[in-house]
Amino acid sequence: MAAIILVCSVAFFLQFFVPYCRSLIASSAAHVLSPEVRDVTGINTLAAGEDFPRVVQLLMLCPDRPEDRSEVRAIGMYFQMLSLVRTAAARLAPKVLAWAERERGRCTYFAAVALDRRVAFSRDLLAQQIEV
């Protein structure tokens, strides 16, 4: 009985978590990265899933914005879940593998957008401190 409850709980969680993450990714897709962030990350238009850890490391170097902390954490969890799906589907389902790769690239782009926002936030903080 406990196993059934656990499986149902995980399924219900994923039913809401995956669309939430996809909506976060979709909201960042229209954002154009600044030239500085493009140079630092190496992302021009398409991002690769392999770049996600590096972009997140750069993201953690910037001062934290409280409003995007939970979103970045959620996308990190979604990225890990996609990595598991990619590993599991590598030989069995090539279409699922391709989808997981595209989603991982979108996660990387989301992290780059968050980095861009944090860089802009840092600039604004610095400008405020200089004015005072």
Side-chain angles (χ1 to χ4, degrees), residues 43-62:
I43 297 171
N44 289 321
T45 54
L46 294 176
E50 289 78 29
D51 295 333
F52 185 79
R54 184 175 51 85
V55 174
V56 169
Q57 285 178 346
L58 292 170
L59 185 62
M60 295 305 149
L61 292 174
C62 290

Side-chain angles (χ1 to χ4, degrees), residues 24-33 109 113 117:
L24 289 176
I25 291 169
S27 69
S28 69
H31 184 84
V32 178
L33 296 176
Y109 193 81
V113 168
R117 289 180 181 152

Side-chain angles (χ1 to χ4, degrees), residues 66-115:
E67 55 268 9
D68 73 351
R69 187 178 307 144
S70 63
E71 294 174 353
V72 170
R73 192 173 307 135
I75 295 300
M77 290 172 54
Y78 183 60
F79 181 83
Q80 294 300 324
M81 187 183 75
L82 288 169
S83 296
L84 289 172
V85 168
R86 183 178 141 237
T87 303
R91 293 189 181 125
L92 302 175
K95 288 184 180 183
V96 174
L97 176 66
W99 171 81
E101 272 304 313
R102 281 193 309 274
E103 285 294 304
R104 290 177 73 222
R106 290 178 183 147
C107 289
T108 303
Y109 193 81
F110 174 86
V113 168
L115 175 64

Side-chain angles (χ1 to χ4, degrees), residues 6-25:
L6 177 66
V7 169
C8 288
S9 297
V10 169
F12 292 142
F13 172 73
L14 290 176
Q15 183 178 6
F16 294 106
F17 180 71
V18 171
Y20 171 70
C21 291
R22 294 194 66 179
S23 70
L24 289 176
I25 291 169

